């Protein structure tokens, strides 16, 4: 079982729609959760971090965390073509992996006009 | 300011060459990281430095040699690389080696011929 799994893509949504990206993780001791956006040929850019159960909103982005279900998601409201990118879910685990960020395989999002 | 800088942007080297990648941050972060990213894959952790000391080495071949001269600088020395080492090399930093957000630099695109 992969440590961090993201919903298989690619995901295509029309401009103005809500894009929903999902991620599950296997380590119940995981402490911190991050979403990165990566444009083609560029480096990952941190767009959201979430540490406790519930929702966290930042502009058009909402991260949701459910530790009991080991699930974290990212909602992008009013999607724009400029949101087209690969979205990486990253999880920080404790224990012997302390200091290591584990990434999912990424979900490619395309927002079409 | 969440800027991590990396030089050079691009590097082409032969298998017998010795070269170095450089990373710098002035955010007062005490943890710095090297990642390797192949096309269409997530970043893969190579090394973690915490307070200028190597704290994680993800079983990276000895042809990659990291160095942390001070709290702001991180180098990756390259020697006798193989063509399969061609990738995007990413540096990141975080406040500490813990649950904190990691910020990535723009990366060095390395091609080994």
């Amino acid at each position: 079982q992969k440590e961090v799994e993201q919903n298989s893509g690619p995901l295509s949504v029309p401009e103005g729609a809500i894009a929903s990206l999902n991620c599950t993780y296997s380590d119940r001791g995981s402490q911190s959760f991050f979403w990165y956006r990566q444009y083609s040929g560029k480096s990952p850019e941190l767009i959201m971090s979430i540490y406790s159960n519930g929702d966290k909103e930042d502009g058009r982005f909402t991260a949701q965390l459910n530790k009991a279900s080991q699930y974290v998601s990212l909602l992008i409201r009013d999607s724009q073509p400029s949101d087209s990118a690969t979205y990486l879910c990253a999880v920080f685990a404790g224990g012997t992996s302390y200091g290591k960020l584990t990434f999912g395989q990424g979900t490619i999002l395309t927002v079409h006009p | 300011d969440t800027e991590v800088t990396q030089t050079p942007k691009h590097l082409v080297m032969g298998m017998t060459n010795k070269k170095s990648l450089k990373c710098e941050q002035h955010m007062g972060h005490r943890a710095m990281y090297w990642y390797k990213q192949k096309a269409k894959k997530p970043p893969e952790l190579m090394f973690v430095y915490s307070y200028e000391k190597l704290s994680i080495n993800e079983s990276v071949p000895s042809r990659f040699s990291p160095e942390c001269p001070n709290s702001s600088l991180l180098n990756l020395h390259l020697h006798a690389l193989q063509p399969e080492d061609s990738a995007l090399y990413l540096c990141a930093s975080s406040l500490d080696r813990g649950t904190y957000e990691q910020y990535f630099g723009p990366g060095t695109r390395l091609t080994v011929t």
Side-chain angles (χ1 to χ4, degrees), chain A residues 59-71:
Chain A
R60 296 185 296 112
F61 299 100
T62 299
Q64 299 174 315
L65 175 62
N66 184 326
K67 288 187 178 180
S69 300
Q70 295 174 245
Y71 174 91

Side-chain angles (χ1 to χ4, degrees), chain A residues 31-32 34 36 38 41-46 49 51 56 88 92 96-101 103-106, chain B residues 33 35 37 40-45 48 56 58 88 90 97-107 109:
Chain A
Q31 302 170 29
S32 311
F34 307 96
Y36 287 85
Q38 187 170 26
K42 301 294 186 182
S43 64
E45 174 193 7
L46 180 67
S49 57
Y51 301 94
K56 179 181 177 183
L88 295 162
F92 181 91
T96 56
S97 298
Y98 192 73
K100 182 176 178 178
L101 205 55
F103 289 86
Q105 291 299 304
Chain B
Y33 310 79
Y35 288 86
Q37 187 175 28
K40 301 190 189 304
K41 296 288 187 184
E44 181 183 328
L45 182 67
V48 179
I56 295 180
E58 289 285 284
L88 180 66
L90 296 162
R97 194 195 95 177
T99 61
Y100 304 98
E101 293 94 343
Q102 291 186 20
Y103 297 94
F104 284 87
R109 177 75 59 189

Side-chain angles (χ1 to χ4, degrees), chain A residues 8 19 24 26 31 33 41 53 55 67 72 74 78 83 94 96 101:
Chain A
S8 58
T24 57
S26 59
Q31 302 170 29
F33 308 86
N53 280 331
D55 295 0
K67 288 187 178 180
V72 58
L74 180 71
D78 187 26
D83 294 326
T96 56
L101 205 55

Side-chain angles (χ1 to χ4, degrees), chain B residues 3 7 24-26 44 49 53 79 103 111:
Chain B
E3 189 177 16
T7 54
E24 194 165 4
Q25 58 86 14
H26 294 288
E44 181 183 328
Y49 272 84
K53 287 186 169 37
H79 173 55
Y103 297 94
T111 303

Side-chain angles (χ1 to χ4, degrees), chain A residues 11-21 60 62 74-80 83 109 111:
Chain A
L11 179 65
S12 181
V13 300
E15 185 173 355
I18 294 175
S20 178
L21 304 161
R60 296 185 296 112
T62 299
L74 180 71
L75 299 177
I76 306 175
R77 289 183 302 282
D78 187 26
S79 296
Q80 301 297 308
D83 294 326
L109 171 67
V111 181

Side-chain angles (χ1 to χ4, degrees), chain B residues 46-92:
Chain B
M46 299 174 74
F47 303 104
V48 179
Y49 272 84
S50 177
Y51 289 84
E52 301 160 46
K53 287 186 169 37
L54 183 66
S55 56
I56 295 180
N57 176 342
E58 289 285 284
S59 302
V60 178
S62 60
R63 58 185 184 269
F64 295 92
S65 175
E67 178 197 19
C68 189
N70 60 55
S71 60
S72 301
L73 277 175
L74 187 65
N75 298 321
L76 186 63
H77 303 297
L78 314 172
H79 173 55
L81 294 192
Q82 304 296 309
E84 58 265 29
D85 296 321
S86 298
L88 180 66
Y89 286 84
L90 296 162
C91 175

